[in-house]
Amino acid sequence: MKQIFNILIIMTLIAGLNSCKKDDTPVPSNLDCNQIANGPAMLDSCGVCQQAYIYDYVSHAFEMLDDTNNVQLDPTEMLIMPDSPSNPYWNNSCVLTIGTFTELDASNYTVDPNNGTLSGNFVKFNFSSESVVNGDNWDVAFRGTTIIINGGESSNIDQPNRTANAAVYIADGTMESITEVDVASLLQDDSTSPAIPDDFGFTGTGWCTYNQITHIISPIAGKILVFRTHDNKYAKMEILNFYDTPMTSPYGGFFTFNYVLTGGATTLF
């Protein structure tokens, strides 16, 4: 009887081990991003799965396709593949905005001659709305040569509160050559200084330089600011000028810049 009992225990253990055994069924390697075997769907540069579809250019109706095999088209229909130049959805979510903002006025500031600190109003900018904003939906803010972001901590009590997770870094290159976000390089403002060095242009570690003979502040060529916005999009900015035209103040504070805003993908174009 004891032997039978032991055999039953062993059989129970084997059954339990078999029930816990990992399913080794191989995952098909020919699935497209729509999980269709040998399907036509493709990931675009924004990380969006795009499907093929049939488009009727008379009625403007469309039918999404899991498979393009044996597709028969009516006389007014056409087959649009995911990466076709005729597909308006391909990479559509990547580049949201390309623009230039001229003479954003952040000139309402003063410099303390004793310690060189700035005081005055910060002007907040939102990439999505392409405009100056007053609320908490800001991405980047300017005051004189100081540039802060809506993420991290304030380094001065007169700065606006950080309410989001924005971040930034300075990349070397051009607007055309900086095509990917280096997420590991993104920094946030902290209690000691902004993520973009606020050096008044003296050290060359920030976005500008200061000419001690002409007293002109100039953007450093080849310095591109790369942002994660307050709403988790990505943007890049090239500052072109620090003064208005004609010049109304030798102290500047008028930012002209090019920018590109993308969706959640780290491809900047």
Side-chain angles (χ1 to χ4, degrees), residues 130-177:
E130 303 182 75
S131 64
V132 171
V133 295
N134 294 317
D136 291 334
N137 61 328
W138 59 284
D139 299 313
V140 56
F142 307 84
R143 182 181 68 186
T145 58
T146 305
I147 300 176
I148 62 174
I149 54 170
N150 193 2
E153 301 178 69
S154 298
S155 56
N156 194 300
I157 59 173
D158 65 351
Q159 295 179 2
N161 291 330
R162 309 316 199 268
T163 61
N165 193 38
V168 68
Y169 67 93
I170 300 178
D172 292 321
T174 64
M175 288 290 276
E176 292 74 22
S177 66

Side-chain angles (χ1 to χ4, degrees), residues 34-241:
N34 194 36
Q35 301 304 303
I36 303 298
N38 298 313
M42 301 170 60
L43 285 175
D44 65 13
S45 298
C46 311
V48 177
C49 185
Q50 302 285 357
Q51 290 180 255
Y53 63 95
I54 296 173
Y55 175 68
D56 189 313
Y57 53 83
V58 175
S59 68
H60 303 296
F62 62 91
E63 176 187 355
M64 307 304 293
L65 300 173
D66 288 336
D67 196 344
T68 55
N69 289 331
N70 302 317
V71 168
Q72 294 183 356
L73 301 175
D74 291 337
T76 60
E77 292 180 336
M78 55 194 304
L79 176 63
I80 306 296
M81 297 303 290
D83 58 347
S84 168
S86 302
N87 186 359
Y89 304 106
W90 184 258
N91 286 338
N92 183 58
S93 63
C94 294
V95 177
L96 303 181
T97 304
I98 299 176
T100 299
F101 199 95
T102 303
E103 296 181 5
L104 180 147
D105 187 356
S107 64
N108 185 20
Y109 73 99
T110 57
V111 181
D112 187 326
N114 296 317
N115 55 27
T117 59
L118 300 183
S119 61
N121 297 326
F122 277 89
V123 179
K124 305 172 185 176
F125 183 78
N126 179 300
F127 284 106
S128 293
S129 65
E130 303 182 75
S131 64
V132 171
V133 295
N134 294 317
D136 291 334
N137 61 328
W138 59 284
D139 299 313
V140 56
F142 307 84
R143 182 181 68 186
T145 58
T146 305
I147 300 176
I148 62 174
I149 54 170
N150 193 2
E153 301 178 69
S154 298
S155 56
N156 194 300
I157 59 173
D158 65 351
Q159 295 179 2
N161 291 330
R162 309 316 199 268
T163 61
N165 193 38
V168 68
Y169 67 93
I170 300 178
D172 292 321
T174 64
M175 288 290 276
E176 292 74 22
S177 66
I178 306 299
T179 58
E180 289 288 335
V181 178
D182 182 3
V183 177
S185 295
L186 288 167
L187 300 172
Q188 294 187 318
D189 297 344
D190 61 37
S191 59
T192 60
S193 66
I196 300 172
D198 188 14
D199 65 346
F200 302 99
F202 285 101
T203 68
T205 60
W207 65 271
C208 64
T209 58
Y210 175 71
N211 188 312
Q212 298 188 44
I213 298 176
T214 64
H215 305 294
I216 294 295
I217 292 173
S218 302
I220 301 174
K223 297 294 183 182
I224 305 299
L225 308 186
V226 180
F227 296 88
R228 180 176 65 222
T229 67
H230 84 283
D231 50 357
N232 293 312
K233 299 181 178 69
Y234 292 99
K236 58 182 174 180
M237 172 192 292
E238 177 187 26
I239 300 175
L240 304 175
N241 199 5

